[in-house]
Amino acid sequence: IKDIIAGIFIVFESEFRVGDIVTINNFRGTVTDIGLRTTKISGGGNVKIFNNSEISGVLNMTKETSVASATIGLEYGQNIDYVEEVMTKELPQLRDQCSAILEGPTYNGVSELAERRFTVTVTARCSEHDVWAVNRFLNKSLLQIFDRNGIKIANQGAAKPVTPANTVK
């Protein structure tokens, strides 16, 4: 009976609807069904079924726009004023290239100073359904912008360049 009463409140209060992207008890997915006793959430190839009376603390990520972001480390020695000038010139063009971007992209400045790099962050507002695609678009676009303008991405130390000195003979 608790599940049915909770299900009635879920339906009438419209805290979330079928098609919304939500997080319930650390499970993120899309609401596929709201029944009187249970609610089904689909995410990551799985379907999780929640008893309606056990649902609390729902995070609905589709009520408002979401934020996609790209954070990229740049080599020290780069002229930050030049980087910011390039961002101001190039970022407005990205919105025309990606219809999923609703607002922005916006250059948010230097977000971190690390031992071997400083990082810059760019954000854009979009639908939660598009956030991963916009993230990938921003990452790719920033790499292209930096390459075109001679701005060097920091070496993360993950790969060693192949030279005659370190090749196997």
Side-chain angles (χ1 to χ4, degrees), residues 69-75 80 83 87 107 109-112 117-122 135-147 151-154 156:
S69 68
T71 302
I72 297 184
L74 302 176
E75 285 184 2
I80 189 63
V83 171
M87 299 293 246
Y107 170 66
V110 176
S111 52
E112 180 187 15
R117 70 185 183 286
F118 67 95
T119 59
V120 295
T121 301
V122 172
N135 277 340
R136 289 187 298 272
F137 172 78
L138 289 175
N139 284 328
K140 176 183 177 185
S141 297
L142 288 176
L143 285 173
Q144 291 170 333
I145 288 169
F146 293 154
D147 185 52
I151 298 169
K152 295 186 180 356
I153 305 293
Q156 303 299 316

Side-chain angles (χ1 to χ4, degrees), residues 52-91:
N52 288 336
S53 63
E54 296 172 359
I55 296 175
S56 65
V58 176
L59 175 61
N60 187 338
M61 294 170 279
T62 49
K63 289 274 186 189
E64 297 184 17
T65 58
S66 296
V67 176
S69 68
T71 302
I72 297 184
L74 302 176
E75 285 184 2
Y76 281 115
Q78 303 293 307
N79 181 331
I80 189 63
D81 293 329
Y82 175 68
V83 171
E84 291 178 345
E85 179 184 315
V86 167
M87 299 293 246
T88 301
K89 181 181 86 179
E90 299 259 6
L91 287 181

Side-chain angles (χ1 to χ4, degrees), residues 1-13 16-19 24 30-41 47-55:
I1 291 190
K2 291 189 310 186
D3 291 331
I4 293 172
I5 292 170
I8 291 170
F9 279 109
I10 289 171
V11 170
F12 285 113
E13 290 183 358
F16 56 88
R17 299 180 299 244
V18 171
I24 300 174
T30 303
V31 178
T32 57
D33 183 57
I34 301 172
L36 285 179
R37 287 188 35 250
T38 62
T39 296
K40 295 177 184 171
I41 311 293
V47 175
K48 179 121 173 141
I49 301 169
F50 293 94
N51 291 331
N52 288 336
S53 63
E54 296 172 359
I55 296 175

